[in-house]
Each structure stands twice: as structure tokens, then as C-alpha cells.
Amino acid sequence: MIKKMDYKSVNKLLTEEYKAELIDKKKFKELLYGFNRNDISDKIDVLTEGLIKSENTKFYLINDVEVLNKNCRCINPSMYPEGKVLPLPLSMFYPYILLALEISDDGGTVNNYAKWGSFDDNIYYRFSELENFIEKN
């Protein structure tokens, strides 16, 4: 478990700097496991492979080519003229990053988070910015 972080600050970082889109649980499931996967439970601990325990979770998608290429130059921008990568979950290649943020009951803090994607480690050090939002006790 990570140290608690201010949710508003983390949300601002994700949506403004990482151009992350807030998505619902259904879209998260589709992007991670593929479409029409009724064989996989919608319970949060199943969907997040046991990494997140609370149903009070916010899901984010980072699929902006510029953001993804900032550190790794992993994606050919000419393949995505709209500037956003397309979901390819069934290929086992995830050219985007999915995040699940476990939020406190009062909605003020992030108690835990997990991430998935083919390039999530390439921008991992940038996520160290999250440390700036750890609550001081």
C-alpha cells in the first residue's frame, strides 16, 4: 500500500499533464481484457488482479501519442493521425496506460493505485511526481 495522496492534485496531474481521460469500470474492463468478456467478474479485486481492494475506484486512460512518446518514442505518430492510440486488448499489446486509483470513502485521498500498459514502465519515473502529493502526517 502506498502513502495516501491528495486526490484533487493527482487528478489534476493526470488530466492536465498526462492528458488522461476518466473512464468507467466497463471501459476499463474492455481495454484490459477485451470486449464482451462476461467470463470475467466485475468485482474490483478480480479486474485489478488483486491490486485494488475497494470498489471506490477511479479509472484513467492515457492514450495521447505525444504524452506516451515524451520519454520512450515508442509509437509512430504517423500511424495515429488523430493523436490518440487505438485500443488493442486482444493482441496483448496495450499501446496505452490504464490506471486504477483507489479513493478514500470521503473522496479526498488516493489510498492505492495500479497501472497497466505496454509502455507503463517507460513513464514510470515521471509518476514519481505523485510523491509530491503524499499527505504529510
Side-chain angles (χ1 to χ4, degrees):
M1 173 119 23
I2 64 169
K3 296 178 183 173
K4 294 181 179 187
M5 296 179 283
D6 177 65
Y7 173 65
K8 286 182 183 178
S9 299
V10 171
N11 180 62
K12 184 176 179 178
L13 174 73
L14 291 174
T15 57
E16 292 180 9
E17 185 171 338
Y18 293 102
K19 300 178 185 177
E21 173 188 345
L22 189 62
I23 59 174
D24 62 18
K25 185 193 268 189
K26 180 180 185 279
K27 181 151 183 152
F28 173 83
K29 181 178 178 180
E30 288 174 348
L31 291 172
L32 190 58
Y33 297 105
F35 300 98
N36 299 317
R37 292 298 306 267
N38 296 326
D39 58 316
I40 298 173
S41 171
D42 288 339
K43 290 183 180 179
I44 194 69
D45 61 330
V46 173
L47 288 179
T48 64
E49 302 164 338
L51 298 171
I52 302 293
K53 305 293 183 198
S54 170
E55 289 292 333
N56 193 21
T57 298
K58 304 280 185 183
F59 303 99
Y60 291 85
L61 167 65
I62 300 172
N63 66 342
D64 184 89
V65 172
E66 181 182 331
V67 169
L68 294 169
N69 273 343
K70 235 177 205 176
N71 298 297
C72 68
R73 305 276 185 249
C74 311
I75 299 169
N76 180 348
S78 67
M79 292 179 63
Y80 303 101
E82 307 252 335
K84 305 243 184 226
V85 295
L86 303 173
L88 299 168
L90 295 179
S91 71
M92 300 308 288
F93 173 64
Y94 304 96
Y96 44 80
I97 297 171
L98 292 170
L99 291 142
L101 276 58
E102 186 176 312
I103 309 299
S104 63
D105 290 337
D106 67 4
T109 58
V110 176
N111 294 336
N112 197 6
Y113 76 94
K115 59 187 177 50
W116 296 262
S118 295
F119 307 125
D120 67 340
D121 287 337
N122 294 11
I123 68 168
Y124 179 77
Y125 82 92
R126 295 192 73 216
F127 276 75
S128 66
E129 293 171 83
L130 296 175
E131 296 291 318
N132 296 330
F133 307 121
I134 291 177
E135 292 186 333
K136 308 295 183 224
N137 292 332

